[in-house]
């Protein structure tokens, strides 16, 4: 079955420190991958999506970057965290299958920048 | 403009009550998801719907494609059902509702 492994589940980082969140997909190949962020009191907002290795599209300008070094690996990074980077980060995946579009979600990472 | 609207935003119920959370969307979709997020916890996928109705234990999800509307029902609610419930639709990306915060009181 298809699953997304996203880690860590929670993270507390000081302002100015780097960030690396990893998302790994199992059970499918060549998926579309997404990073979303949920700031306090707001809905989930698309940050990045990727349709293939090395292909990254950004939806909003920000202090973050994303990379897809392998087909089933999607990484969210920052060189220097800001307080405003605090929030809940969610990795998601979609794949066109014979029965339509399949989609599944990671558990999410709760990041607190202090 | 929100592609996905959920109601109510907040809901408090007594244990045992029947609960309904509604989701309306404005885009043509290929699938709709109901997600659960416990306080301080991660996301759990409850249902993926493209038509009709699905049931899992005390949870029932329905979708009306023509009316662009979905409902999540919880029968015989329990305090452990307390969580945020999020509706998400998929077009070329996911669009999420802002969530319904449910509190079930013993």
């Amino acid at each position: 079955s298809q699953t997304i492994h996203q880690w860590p589940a929670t993270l507390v980082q000081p302002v100015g420190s780097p960030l690396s969140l990893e998302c790994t997909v199992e059970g499918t190949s060549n998926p579309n991958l997404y990073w979303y962020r949920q700031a306090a009191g707001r809905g989930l907002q698309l940050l990045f999506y990727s349709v293939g290795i090395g292909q990254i599209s950004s939806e909003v300008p920000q202090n973050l970057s994303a990379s897809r070094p392998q087909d089933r690996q999607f990484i969210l990074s920052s060189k220097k965290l800001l307080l405003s980077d605090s929030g809940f980060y969610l990795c998601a995946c979609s794949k066109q299958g014979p029965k339509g579009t399949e989609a599944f979600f990671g558990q999410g990472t709760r990041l607190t920048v202090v | 403009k929100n592609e996905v609207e959920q109601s109510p935003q907040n809901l408090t119920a007594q244990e045992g009550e029947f609960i309904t959370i509604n989701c309306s969307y404005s885009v043509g979709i290929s699938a709709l998801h109901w997600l659960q997020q416990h306080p301080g916890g991660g996301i759990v996928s409850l249902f993926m719907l493209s038509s009709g109705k699905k049931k899992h234990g005390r949870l029932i999800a329905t979708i009306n494609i023509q009316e662009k509307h979905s409902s999540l029902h919880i029968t015989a609610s329990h305090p452990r059902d307390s969580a945020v419930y999020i509706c998400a639709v998929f077009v070329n990306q996911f669009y999420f509702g802002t969530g319904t915060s449910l509190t079930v009181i013993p």
Side-chain angles (χ1 to χ4, degrees):
Chain A
S1 64
Q2 299 134 334
T3 56
I4 292 181
H5 297 282
Q6 185 182 341
W7 68 93
T10 59
L11 188 60
V12 180
Q13 290 283 99
V15 168
S17 64
L19 173 74
S20 181
L21 301 181
E22 188 160 343
C23 169
T24 302
V25 178
E26 290 184 1
T28 190
S29 61
N30 197 29
N32 292 336
L33 297 172
Y34 311 82
W35 277 112
Y36 285 84
R37 175 171 65 194
Q38 181 182 45
R42 304 187 66 180
L44 284 151
Q45 182 184 33
L46 181 64
L47 299 176
F48 301 97
Y49 68 93
S50 172
V51 300
I53 295 174
Q55 301 179 62
I56 309 294
S57 296
S58 174
E59 286 294 300
V60 293
Q62 59 216 310
N63 183 40
L64 302 167
S65 62
S67 62
R68 188 169 175 176
Q70 300 179 45
D71 180 47
R72 290 177 285 182
Q73 186 184 29
F74 203 24
I75 298 172
L76 184 68
S77 304
S78 173
K79 292 182 179 178
K80 288 185 178 181
L81 284 169
L82 306 172
L83 287 174
S84 57
D85 292 323
S86 294
F88 180 78
Y89 290 82
L90 181 68
C91 180
C93 169
S94 70
K95 175 69 186 287
Q96 196 67 30
K99 296 182 181 179
T101 301
E102 300 165 329
F104 39 107
F105 303 90
Q107 282 206 321
T109 298
R110 195 162 299 277
L111 171 67
T112 304
V113 182
V114 296
Chain B
K1 170 181 172 288
N2 294 327
E3 289 80 3
V4 181
E5 298 281 355
Q6 274 185 246
S7 63
Q9 264 192 310
N10 298 286
L11 182 57
T12 301
Q14 292 289 333
E15 183 173 357
E17 284 186 8
F18 180 84
I19 288 163
T20 296
I21 300 170
N22 295 299
C23 174
S24 297
Y25 53 92
S26 58
V27 293
I29 67 170
S30 57
L32 182 142
H33 300 259
W34 281 103
L35 310 174
Q36 182 191 55
Q37 184 177 32
H38 279 103
I43 292 283
V44 174
S45 183
L46 299 175
F47 295 103
M48 182 175 77
L49 294 163
S50 53
S51 64
K53 175 181 175 179
K54 286 189 176 179
K55 184 175 188 291
H56 184 247
R58 294 180 294 105
L59 301 177
I60 302 167
T62 63
I63 188 169
N64 185 317
I65 296 293
Q66 288 74 28
E67 295 186 2
K68 295 186 175 179
H69 181 269
S70 175
S71 293
L72 177 68
H73 305 286
I74 304 176
T75 61
S77 59
H78 189 276
R80 65 175 174 264
D81 297 326
S82 298
V84 175
Y85 293 84
I86 301 170
C87 172
V89 300
F90 183 81
V91 186
N92 296 313
Q93 58 159 294
F94 296 98
Y95 294 95
F96 295 86
T98 51
T100 295
S101 179
L102 171 66
T103 303
V104 181
I105 301 170

